[in-house]
Amino acid sequence: MDIQQKITSLREELSEHNYRYYVLDQPSITDYEFDMKLKELQQLEAAHPEFYDPASPTIRVGGMVTKNFETVVHEHRMYSLDNSYSKEDLEDWEKRIQRILGDAEVEFTCELKYDGASISLTYEDGKLVRAVTRGDGFQGDDVTTNIKTIRSVPLQLKGDYPPKFDIRGEIILTLEGFAKMNQERIEAGEDPYMNPRNTASGSLKLQDSALVAQRPLECLLYTVAGNHLGISSQFEILEKARSWGFKVPTVAKLCKSTKEVMQFVEHWDTNRHHLPYETDGVVVKVNSIQQQEELGYTAKSPRWAMAYKFQAEQASTVLNEITYQVGRTGAITPVANLRPVLLAGTTVKRASLHNADQIAKLDVRVGDTVFVEKGGEIIPKIIAVDFTKRPTDSKSTKYITHCPECGTELIRKEGEAQHFCPNDTGCPTQITGRIQHFISRKAMDIEGMGSETVELLFKQGLIANYADLYTLTKEKVVPLERMADKSAENLVNGVAASKSIPFERVLFALGIRYVGETVAKKLAKAYKNIDALMAASQEELVAVDEIGERIAESVVNFFSEPTNLEIIDRLKSYGLRFSLSEEQLENQTDKLKGQIFVVSGVFETVSRDELKKLIEDNGGKVASSISSKTSFVVAGDNMGPSKRTKAESLGVPIISEQEFLQKLQA
Ligand code: AMP
Ligand code: ZN
């Protein structure tokens, strides 16, 4: 055997042992034998760098250092999941689904929800080419070097895999692995880590991949994304992924009814403590991919999937004080200040009380002993009062009537849970809150300026709104407390640099209520510039895919406020971007201008997302449901029966994929 053959055969052999050990959990040689073979391969590779292969098992030991993790845009967006907490929630979800799918039969795949860090792996021709963190769902960090050290992530696939696809999963630490890591840390005189999830996600961003290699991380996979994969159900995805060499937990179950789903949920709620890793719930998914496409997505999550959250860990402690926070929109949030208590690995001092109704419903009072729970939220919440421990002199909580920041009488609109301070132009916290939002990282990302600087500038009378930021000069800023020459310069430069921030982020920065990052992107894309958006009526806005009444009303209100118009005029005069760039407009036409499309079914030459993009890029709008305003329904195979009936009854023309594509050729 020549050297190259020897290297190849060692690589194959080690990959197979690796797979047997880390994925199947069925090793067939001892650790010692494995280490010996690995050493032999390492020596051969070192002596023959000409045979380098990025998929060699020796890569697993790490050693490459990543200084900066590059940002990568996900080809297929990574969504969140909606949460449910009860059988009733799940049943409501099923009803919503059935309403859309008509009386078609629906099956569900139930999986455990693995509690770790999400990851998206891209494979081309069977080789791992990229691993990206979820980030904000649109783009994440390239952590390929670190991920390659995780033994259960295949570097080379087996079997009959598609030429190119992304696969999604969760990087986790098993409880045993985590305990072992902590044991070693304690022995080395270091502080133990708090919990497996944060430790797993922190591991992905370590610069030295050799350190990552030492951590007992695992990768559990749950879905595949790509075009034309020829897979028809979620359950099939799991089976296929397993056959390609991925670690896919076998607890997943195909269920024919919500009753079976509930049995799965209940079983794992009681048995989860015996699992080798942490789980915080179950993920229920509509099994048929075609039905999934029919159901589609909301702005944040698929309509075809639902997370069922298990009851979280609880602790009890004393409520010392209730304070009230004023948000940038004037919304008041009551906050419980607690006697510090340890809960699920962290010390909790504050908890959210949500609103006046919540306080009344719980009848929570200062001095009470309360139960605190930590769900997926960052800030824990109070779920109940321990009435047996209530002090005899306890007085019921009186919700504040006036703004704690500006003294204005609070208002509460019909149907809204929150109290508001209506003094939006004079309430200092609201003013600074809006400016702080404007400069924040996901908005204008103004470097050299933080929340405290905003407060300082406001107190000194240098700014009263975000447009004033652009009038700041170094001379004006330098006299401020603790403002060195250099920092003043940075601040002014940071403000100037923000003028090149793209339109969709400027739109987000304006701080229109309910217009988050995703909605801002949608609106920017649909209207292309601020003037068109300002001219849009509530009705027109609602016709845009994923824009509901509440958002539309808020947008119209914002642009009907003279002070807002004045501020926008000023921002325009300073040179901020209020339209999509040339590059963003490229490949875009007006061919479908004014036309509203609804897309239904499965397509042959383009994916559903590609089709939607084609419509939007050519000036059309995509709506999620059929109405008398719909111009065309583009129907693929197996169009939803309810959609067909509705289109026919409203006389909306139904066209095929081919007919649609011809429209674009014209
Ligand atoms: P959340 O972050 O609470 O919106 O929940 C969504 C996240 O759950 C996804 O981004 C995944 O990373 C994670 N997840 C864990 N297990 C699963 C699973 N079996 N199916 C889908 N998502 C999962
Ligand atoms: Zn106020």
Side-chain angles (χ1 to χ4, degrees), residues 247-285:
K247 184 153 190 161
V248 178
T250 49
V251 298
K253 182 163 185 277
L254 184 60
C255 296
K256 306 255 181 236
S257 64
T258 26
K259 189 163 156 244
E260 277 182 50
V261 170
M262 271 324 288
Q263 283 166 355
F264 183 92
V265 165
E266 280 157 17
H267 174 82
W268 286 109
D269 196 0
T270 40
N271 288 286
R272 64 183 149 134
H273 303 292
H274 309 301
L275 286 165
Y277 43 79
E278 284 195 319
T279 168
D280 55 346
V282 166
V283 185
V284 190
K285 298 170 187 169

Short mmCIF file of all heavy atoms in Angstrom, two decimals, residues 247-285:
data_model
loop_
_atom_site.label_atom_id
_atom_site.label_comp_id
_atom_site.label_asym_id
_atom_site.label_seq_id
_atom_site.Cartn_x
_atom_site.Cartn_y
_atom_site.Cartn_z
N LYS A 247 -26.51 12.64 13.87
CA LYS A 247 -27.08 12.19 15.13
C LYS A 247 -28.47 12.80 15.28
O LYS A 247 -28.62 14.00 15.46
CB LYS A 247 -26.19 12.61 16.29
CG LYS A 247 -26.70 12.07 17.61
CD LYS A 247 -25.55 11.90 18.60
CE LYS A 247 -26.02 11.14 19.82
NZ LYS A 247 -24.91 10.57 20.56
N VAL A 248 -29.47 11.97 15.15
CA VAL A 248 -30.86 12.42 15.26
C VAL A 248 -31.51 11.56 16.34
O VAL A 248 -31.63 10.35 16.17
CB VAL A 248 -31.62 12.21 13.93
CG1 VAL A 248 -33.07 12.64 14.07
CG2 VAL A 248 -30.93 12.97 12.80
N PRO A 249 -31.89 12.18 17.45
CA PRO A 249 -32.45 11.38 18.54
C PRO A 249 -33.64 10.53 18.07
O PRO A 249 -34.47 11.00 17.30
CB PRO A 249 -32.90 12.43 19.55
CG PRO A 249 -32.00 13.59 19.30
CD PRO A 249 -31.78 13.59 17.83
N THR A 250 -33.68 9.30 18.55
CA THR A 250 -34.72 8.38 18.07
C THR A 250 -36.02 8.48 18.85
O THR A 250 -36.95 7.74 18.59
CB THR A 250 -34.22 6.92 18.16
OG1 THR A 250 -33.68 6.75 19.47
CG2 THR A 250 -33.17 6.63 17.13
N VAL A 251 -36.08 9.41 19.82
CA VAL A 251 -37.32 9.52 20.58
C VAL A 251 -38.45 10.14 19.76
O VAL A 251 -39.60 10.11 20.15
CB VAL A 251 -37.15 10.35 21.88
CG1 VAL A 251 -36.17 9.69 22.81
CG2 VAL A 251 -36.73 11.76 21.57
N ALA A 252 -38.11 10.72 18.60
CA ALA A 252 -39.14 11.35 17.76
C ALA A 252 -40.23 10.35 17.41
O ALA A 252 -39.96 9.17 17.21
CB ALA A 252 -38.51 11.91 16.50
N LYS A 253 -41.47 10.86 17.32
CA LYS A 253 -42.58 9.95 17.06
C LYS A 253 -43.57 10.58 16.09
O LYS A 253 -43.85 11.77 16.13
CB LYS A 253 -43.29 9.67 18.40
CG LYS A 253 -44.43 8.70 18.31
CD LYS A 253 -44.79 8.17 19.68
CE LYS A 253 -45.86 7.11 19.59
NZ LYS A 253 -47.21 7.64 19.50
N LEU A 254 -44.06 9.74 15.20
CA LEU A 254 -45.09 10.19 14.26
C LEU A 254 -46.45 9.96 14.92
O LEU A 254 -46.77 8.83 15.31
CB LEU A 254 -44.97 9.39 12.96
CG LEU A 254 -45.91 9.79 11.83
CD1 LEU A 254 -45.69 11.23 11.42
CD2 LEU A 254 -45.69 8.87 10.62
N CYS A 255 -47.25 11.02 15.04
CA CYS A 255 -48.54 10.89 15.73
C CYS A 255 -49.69 11.18 14.78
O CYS A 255 -49.64 12.11 14.00
CB CYS A 255 -48.61 11.87 16.90
SG CYS A 255 -47.40 11.54 18.18
N LYS A 256 -50.74 10.39 14.90
CA LYS A 256 -51.88 10.53 13.99
C LYS A 256 -52.93 11.51 14.51
O LYS A 256 -53.84 11.89 13.79
CB LYS A 256 -52.57 9.17 13.81
CG LYS A 256 -51.63 8.08 13.36
CD LYS A 256 -51.84 7.77 11.88
CE LYS A 256 -50.90 6.65 11.46
NZ LYS A 256 -50.05 6.99 10.34
N SER A 257 -52.83 11.87 15.80
CA SER A 257 -53.87 12.74 16.36
C SER A 257 -53.28 13.58 17.48
O SER A 257 -52.21 13.28 18.00
CB SER A 257 -54.99 11.88 16.95
OG SER A 257 -54.46 11.12 18.03
N THR A 258 -53.99 14.65 17.85
CA THR A 258 -53.51 15.46 18.97
C THR A 258 -53.53 14.66 20.26
O THR A 258 -52.78 14.97 21.18
CB THR A 258 -54.34 16.75 19.18
OG1 THR A 258 -55.65 16.54 18.68
CG2 THR A 258 -53.71 17.93 18.50
N LYS A 259 -54.38 13.65 20.31
CA LYS A 259 -54.41 12.81 21.51
C LYS A 259 -53.05 12.11 21.66
O LYS A 259 -52.46 12.11 22.74
CB LYS A 259 -55.53 11.78 21.37
CG LYS A 259 -55.78 11.03 22.64
CD LYS A 259 -57.13 10.32 22.65
CE LYS A 259 -57.11 9.16 23.62
NZ LYS A 259 -57.29 7.86 22.97
N GLU A 260 -52.57 11.56 20.55
CA GLU A 260 -51.25 10.91 20.61
C GLU A 260 -50.15 11.92 20.92
O GLU A 260 -49.19 11.61 21.62
CB GLU A 260 -50.93 10.23 19.26
CG GLU A 260 -51.54 8.85 19.14
CD GLU A 260 -51.16 8.21 17.80
OE1 GLU A 260 -49.97 8.20 17.45
OE2 GLU A 260 -52.07 7.74 17.10
N VAL A 261 -50.31 13.14 20.39
CA VAL A 261 -49.33 14.19 20.67
C VAL A 261 -49.28 14.44 22.18
O VAL A 261 -48.20 14.48 22.79
CB VAL A 261 -49.69 15.50 19.93
CG1 VAL A 261 -48.82 16.66 20.42
CG2 VAL A 261 -49.54 15.32 18.42
N MET A 262 -50.45 14.54 22.80
CA MET A 262 -50.50 14.80 24.24
C MET A 262 -49.88 13.66 25.04
O MET A 262 -49.22 13.88 26.05
CB MET A 262 -51.94 15.02 24.71
CG MET A 262 -52.43 16.46 24.64
SD MET A 262 -51.19 17.73 25.02
CE MET A 262 -50.99 17.52 26.79
N GLN A 263 -50.07 12.42 24.54
CA GLN A 263 -49.46 11.29 25.23
C GLN A 263 -47.93 11.40 25.21
O GLN A 263 -47.25 11.16 26.20
CB GLN A 263 -49.89 9.97 24.59
CG GLN A 263 -51.30 9.57 25.00
CD GLN A 263 -51.85 8.46 24.11
OE1 GLN A 263 -51.22 8.05 23.13
NE2 GLN A 263 -53.04 7.98 24.44
N PHE A 264 -47.42 11.82 24.05
CA PHE A 264 -45.97 12.00 23.91
C PHE A 264 -45.49 13.07 24.89
O PHE A 264 -44.52 12.90 25.62
CB PHE A 264 -45.65 12.40 22.46
CG PHE A 264 -44.18 12.55 22.16
CD1 PHE A 264 -43.44 11.48 21.68
CD2 PHE A 264 -43.53 13.77 22.35
CE1 PHE A 264 -42.08 11.63 21.38
CE2 PHE A 264 -42.19 13.92 22.06
CZ PHE A 264 -41.47 12.83 21.58
N VAL A 265 -46.22 14.20 24.89
CA VAL A 265 -45.87 15.32 25.76
C VAL A 265 -45.86 14.87 27.23
O VAL A 265 -44.90 15.12 27.97
CB VAL A 265 -46.87 16.49 25.56
CG1 VAL A 265 -46.75 17.51 26.69
CG2 VAL A 265 -46.66 17.14 24.20
N GLU A 266 -46.92 14.19 27.63
CA GLU A 266 -47.02 13.80 29.04
C GLU A 266 -45.95 12.79 29.42
O GLU A 266 -45.37 12.86 30.50
CB GLU A 266 -48.43 13.23 29.33
CG GLU A 266 -49.43 14.35 29.54
CD GLU A 266 -50.87 13.93 29.28
OE1 GLU A 266 -51.14 12.70 29.26
OE2 GLU A 266 -51.72 14.82 29.10
N HIS A 267 -45.69 11.87 28.50
CA HIS A 267 -44.65 10.89 28.78
C HIS A 267 -43.31 11.57 29.06
O HIS A 267 -42.64 11.28 30.04
CB HIS A 267 -44.49 9.92 27.60
CG HIS A 267 -43.34 8.98 27.77
ND1 HIS A 267 -43.43 7.84 28.53
CD2 HIS A 267 -42.07 9.03 27.31
CE1 HIS A 267 -42.26 7.22 28.53
NE2 HIS A 267 -41.42 7.92 27.79
N TRP A 268 -42.96 12.52 28.19
CA TRP A 268 -41.65 13.13 28.34
C TRP A 268 -41.60 14.17 29.43
O TRP A 268 -40.53 14.48 29.96
CB TRP A 268 -41.13 13.67 27.00
CG TRP A 268 -40.70 12.52 26.14
CD1 TRP A 268 -41.31 12.05 25.02
CD2 TRP A 268 -39.59 11.65 26.39
NE1 TRP A 268 -40.66 10.94 24.55
CE2 TRP A 268 -39.60 10.67 25.36
CE3 TRP A 268 -38.60 11.59 27.37
CZ2 TRP A 268 -38.65 9.65 25.30
CZ3 TRP A 268 -37.65 10.58 27.29
CH2 TRP A 268 -37.69 9.63 26.27
N ASP A 269 -42.75 14.72 29.78
CA ASP A 269 -42.77 15.67 30.90
C ASP A 269 -42.31 14.95 32.17
O ASP A 269 -41.56 15.50 32.97
CB ASP A 269 -44.18 16.25 31.07
CG ASP A 269 -44.17 17.51 31.92
OD1 ASP A 269 -43.07 17.91 32.38
OD2 ASP A 269 -45.24 18.09 32.15
N THR A 270 -42.76 13.70 32.35
CA THR A 270 -42.35 12.98 33.55
C THR A 270 -41.02 12.27 33.38
O THR A 270 -40.27 12.10 34.34
CB THR A 270 -43.40 11.93 33.99
OG1 THR A 270 -43.89 11.30 32.81
CG2 THR A 270 -44.54 12.57 34.72
N ASN A 271 -40.69 11.87 32.15
CA ASN A 271 -39.47 11.08 31.96
C ASN A 271 -38.24 11.87 31.53
O ASN A 271 -37.17 11.31 31.37
CB ASN A 271 -39.73 9.96 30.95
CG ASN A 271 -40.60 8.88 31.55
OD1 ASN A 271 -40.16 8.11 32.38
ND2 ASN A 271 -41.87 8.88 31.17
N ARG A 272 -38.42 13.18 31.32
CA ARG A 272 -37.30 13.97 30.78
C ARG A 272 -36.09 13.98 31.70
O ARG A 272 -34.96 14.15 31.26
CB ARG A 272 -37.74 15.40 30.51
CG ARG A 272 -38.16 16.16 31.75
CD ARG A 272 -38.63 17.53 31.37
NE ARG A 272 -39.65 18.01 32.28
CZ ARG A 272 -39.64 19.24 32.80
NH1 ARG A 272 -38.68 20.07 32.49
NH2 ARG A 272 -40.60 19.61 33.61
N HIS A 273 -36.34 13.77 33.02
CA HIS A 273 -35.20 13.86 33.94
C HIS A 273 -34.24 12.68 33.79
O HIS A 273 -33.15 12.71 34.32
CB HIS A 273 -35.71 13.99 35.37
CG HIS A 273 -36.60 15.19 35.52
ND1 HIS A 273 -36.11 16.47 35.43
CD2 HIS A 273 -37.94 15.30 35.67
CE1 HIS A 273 -37.11 17.33 35.55
NE2 HIS A 273 -38.24 16.64 35.69
N HIS A 274 -34.66 11.67 33.03
CA HIS A 274 -33.75 10.53 32.81
C HIS A 274 -32.97 10.67 31.52
O HIS A 274 -32.15 9.82 31.19
CB HIS A 274 -34.55 9.22 32.78
CG HIS A 274 -35.45 9.06 33.96
ND1 HIS A 274 -34.95 9.06 35.25
CD2 HIS A 274 -36.78 8.93 34.08
CE1 HIS A 274 -35.95 8.92 36.10
NE2 HIS A 274 -37.08 8.85 35.41
N LEU A 275 -33.25 11.72 30.75
CA LEU A 275 -32.54 11.89 29.47
C LEU A 275 -31.09 12.29 29.73
O LEU A 275 -30.79 12.90 30.76
CB LEU A 275 -33.21 12.99 28.65
CG LEU A 275 -34.54 12.65 28.00
CD1 LEU A 275 -35.24 13.92 27.53
CD2 LEU A 275 -34.31 11.72 26.80
N PRO A 276 -30.21 11.97 28.79
CA PRO A 276 -28.81 12.35 29.00
C PRO A 276 -28.57 13.86 28.80
O PRO A 276 -27.50 14.37 29.13
CB PRO A 276 -28.06 11.56 27.92
CG PRO A 276 -29.07 11.16 26.92
CD PRO A 276 -30.39 11.12 27.61
N TYR A 277 -29.55 14.58 28.24
CA TYR A 277 -29.37 16.03 28.02
C TYR A 277 -30.62 16.75 28.50
O TYR A 277 -31.65 16.14 28.78
CB TYR A 277 -29.13 16.33 26.54
CG TYR A 277 -30.04 15.55 25.61
CD1 TYR A 277 -31.36 15.95 25.40
CD2 TYR A 277 -29.59 14.38 24.97
CE1 TYR A 277 -32.19 15.22 24.58
CE2 TYR A 277 -30.42 13.65 24.15
CZ TYR A 277 -31.72 14.08 23.95
OH TYR A 277 -32.55 13.37 23.15
N GLU A 278 -30.53 18.08 28.58
CA GLU A 278 -31.67 18.87 29.04
C GLU A 278 -32.66 19.12 27.91
O GLU A 278 -32.28 19.30 26.75
CB GLU A 278 -31.18 20.24 29.53
CG GLU A 278 -30.53 20.17 30.88
CD GLU A 278 -30.39 21.56 31.50
OE1 GLU A 278 -30.06 22.51 30.76
OE2 GLU A 278 -30.60 21.67 32.72
N THR A 279 -33.93 19.11 28.26
CA THR A 279 -34.93 19.50 27.28
C THR A 279 -35.91 20.41 28.00
O THR A 279 -36.19 20.22 29.18
CB THR A 279 -35.67 18.28 26.69
OG1 THR A 279 -36.80 18.75 25.97
CG2 THR A 279 -36.14 17.33 27.76
N ASP A 280 -36.40 21.43 27.30
CA ASP A 280 -37.36 22.32 27.97
C ASP A 280 -38.75 22.16 27.38
O ASP A 280 -39.65 22.93 27.64
CB ASP A 280 -36.90 23.77 27.92
CG ASP A 280 -36.61 24.26 26.52
OD1 ASP A 280 -36.51 23.42 25.61
OD2 ASP A 280 -36.49 25.48 26.31
N GLY A 281 -38.93 21.14 26.52
CA GLY A 281 -40.26 20.94 25.98
C GLY A 281 -40.26 19.99 24.81
O GLY A 281 -39.29 19.26 24.56
N VAL A 282 -41.36 20.02 24.08
CA VAL A 282 -41.55 19.18 22.90
C VAL A 282 -41.81 20.10 21.72
O VAL A 282 -42.42 21.15 21.88
CB VAL A 282 -42.76 18.24 23.12
CG1 VAL A 282 -43.20 17.58 21.83
CG2 VAL A 282 -42.43 17.18 24.17
N VAL A 283 -41.31 19.74 20.54
CA VAL A 283 -41.67 20.50 19.35
C VAL A 283 -42.60 19.64 18.50
O VAL A 283 -42.26 18.51 18.15
CB VAL A 283 -40.43 20.90 18.52
CG1 VAL A 283 -40.84 21.79 17.35
CG2 VAL A 283 -39.41 21.62 19.38
N VAL A 284 -43.79 20.16 18.24
CA VAL A 284 -44.77 19.43 17.44
C VAL A 284 -44.78 20.06 16.05
O VAL A 284 -44.88 21.28 15.92
CB VAL A 284 -46.18 19.54 18.06
CG1 VAL A 284 -47.14 18.59 17.36
CG2 VAL A 284 -46.14 19.26 19.54
N LYS A 285 -44.65 19.23 15.00
CA LYS A 285 -44.60 19.77 13.64
C LYS A 285 -45.62 19.05 12.77
O LYS A 285 -45.77 17.83 12.88
CB LYS A 285 -43.21 19.57 13.04
CG LYS A 285 -42.13 20.29 13.80
CD LYS A 285 -40.74 19.89 13.33
CE LYS A 285 -39.70 20.53 14.24
NZ LYS A 285 -38.36 20.01 14.03
#
